[in-house]
Amino acid sequence: MRRAVGAPLLVTGLLAGLLAPLVLLAVWSVTRTWRYPALWPQSFGDRAVRVVTDPGSQILSGLVTSAGIAATVAVVSGAVGLAAGRALGLHSFPGKGFVRFALLAPVVVPGITVSLGIQVVFIHYRLADTVPGVVLAHLIPATPYATLVLAAAYTRFDTAFEDQARVLGTSPLRVLVHVTLPALRPALTVAMMLTFLISWNEYVLTLLVGGGSVTTLPLLLFSAIGSGDTALAAALALVVSVPPLLLVGVTARALTGAGASTGSGETLAALGRA
């Protein structure tokens, strides 16, 4: 009885704690005057909302740029993580421990230090102030997460299924598509979600490598905060926050759904019939 009552209460409390800041941001975004110590705004206005939804503003292009960069980083990190994670998860080789430690370097080393070094290198190779340069910069902190997540998944992966598929005459590409990827789909989904979020929220690397020429939503948000425009900053914060929340919800739904896992045995049977 206590467990049956406690679980819904816990979920409700977590949702309330998650949504409360968003509700406050929503109120701020339509606030014209809110003077201390009043608990509620004195007047409301839709100026910030109109600015955010204006098709001619930088915000729409910033949204598209952020989504494009984050999606590219997620796909590339996932592809690199599949290969690197396989090596770390299934094979032993000299220096494996050092490689694992090196993967944590972008997380351990202060971000501003790494960013300044990256900026110098990218300027030398003419990658600064370009979208490809920003994508490459975002891959530096994102790829280690994808690699480590997939390496952990590979440690529980039975390569005998791949061997059986090859015995059935399946090509290496079909083995990857129909055997390996279905078995690793939950881990790959999580890895790509994490790398998307890392890129989506990245500010320092985008500012230094993009040089202001590549405009993303975090840059616009920090600009609004610096200008003291609280209503616009709140509206932009909502725009920045909602897509990641939706992505996490959709990902969680997909991973816990009835079709989240695919049996390797069923896949092999289908390949054998083919």
Side-chain angles (χ1 to χ4, degrees):
M1 178 69 71
R2 290 180 179 177
R3 291 181 180 178
V5 175
L9 289 177
L10 178 61
V11 172
T12 303
L14 290 174
L15 288 175
L18 180 65
L19 296 178
L22 297 181
V23 173
L24 183 59
L25 287 175
V27 174
W28 265 115
S29 66
V30 293
T31 294
R32 180 180 299 165
T33 306
W34 194 349
R35 298 189 183 91
Y36 179 85
L39 298 178
W40 193 251
Q42 285 82 24
S43 62
F44 295 91
D46 63 347
R47 179 189 59 84
V49 176
R50 284 188 283 105
V51 171
V52 168
T53 56
D54 182 7
S57 68
Q58 283 188 302
I59 296 169
L60 180 59
S61 62
L63 175 63
V64 173
T65 302
S66 293
I69 291 174
T72 304
V73 169
V75 172
V76 176
S77 295
V80 174
L82 276 173
R86 186 181 185 94
L88 289 175
L90 295 179
H91 303 286
S92 297
F93 52 88
K96 181 176 178 179
F98 174 78
V99 172
R100 286 184 176 273
F101 175 78
L103 287 172
L104 297 175
V107 182
V108 176
V109 178
I112 186 65
T113 304
V114 176
S115 302
L116 290 174
I118 293 172
Q119 183 191 29
V120 173
V121 174
F122 279 30
I123 290 175
H124 179 74
Y125 288 101
R126 298 182 180 179
L127 289 170
D129 303 343
T130 65
V131 172
V134 173
V135 170
L136 289 174
H138 287 193
L139 285 171
I140 294 173
T143 303
Y145 284 93
T147 301
L148 293 175
V149 169
L150 288 164
Y154 269 114
T155 59
R156 300 186 297 274
F157 177 67
D158 189 355
T159 57
F161 290 114
E162 294 178 333
D163 296 335
Q164 294 174 35
R166 294 189 187 97
V167 169
L168 293 172
T170 308
S171 65
L173 179 60
R174 292 190 67 193
V175 171
L176 174 65
V177 173
H178 296 289
V179 178
T180 309
L181 290 182
L184 297 174
R185 186 173 65 176
L188 181 60
T189 301
V190 171
M192 292 181 66
M193 180 194 70
L194 287 175
T195 53
F196 182 95
L197 295 178
I198 290 170
S199 176
W200 179 269
N201 294 299
E202 184 59 54
Y203 170 74
V204 176
L205 281 173
T206 306
L207 178 63
L208 293 179
V209 176
S213 299
V214 180
T215 304
T216 60
L217 284 181
L219 293 183
L220 295 175
L221 174 59
F222 277 87
S223 176
I225 293 173
S227 68
D229 192 338
T230 307
L232 181 58
L236 277 170
L238 281 175
V239 176
V240 173
S241 301
V242 171
L245 289 175
L246 293 176
L247 176 64
V248 172
V250 171
T251 302
R253 179 79 176 182
L255 292 178
T256 57
S261 61
T262 302
S264 297
E266 296 178 0
T267 303
L268 287 173
L271 289 173
R273 290 192 296 271

